[in-house]
Amino acid sequence: MFRQSVGLSPYQYLLQQRIETAKRLLKQTDDSIMEIALRCGFNSHSHLAQQFRKLTGTTPSRYHSDR
């Protein structure tokens, strides 16, 4: 039912929300990528980087420096 109403699986929806939060924090704070990864529920900065790149096509470092 969730997939029918939202268009994504619950996991994909949650992952997308976590990445959006990470994007906001990368743009608005000077926190390290590791701090942002942990705040968004990722196990490590590399886990964030892997998922971030899949969904956005860029790395968190590059996204952070482009602000």
Side-chain angles (χ1 to χ4, degrees):
M1 253 181 138
F2 186 88
R3 182 185 287 270
Q4 289 175 337
S5 64
V6 178
L8 299 168
S9 70
Y11 174 76
Q12 288 298 320
Y13 177 80
L14 179 61
L15 181 60
Q16 186 177 36
Q17 295 303 307
R18 290 164 60 196
I19 293 295
E20 289 301 317
T21 300
K23 285 169 63 176
R24 182 178 48 79
L25 292 171
L26 286 165
K27 288 289 186 190
Q28 296 176 353
T29 70
D30 289 326
D31 294 346
S32 71
I33 294 173
M34 184 64 189
E35 289 177 271
I36 292 171
L38 294 175
R39 284 178 60 185
C40 294
F42 293 96
N43 295 329
S44 64
H45 73 283
S46 62
H47 186 220
L48 168 63
Q50 179 185 23
Q51 298 301 320
F52 196 93
R53 188 174 189 115
K54 277 185 189 178
L55 291 176
T56 67
T58 190
T59 63
S61 299
R62 182 160 297 184
Y63 190 84
H64 184 66
S65 66
D66 288 343
R67 56 184 175 144

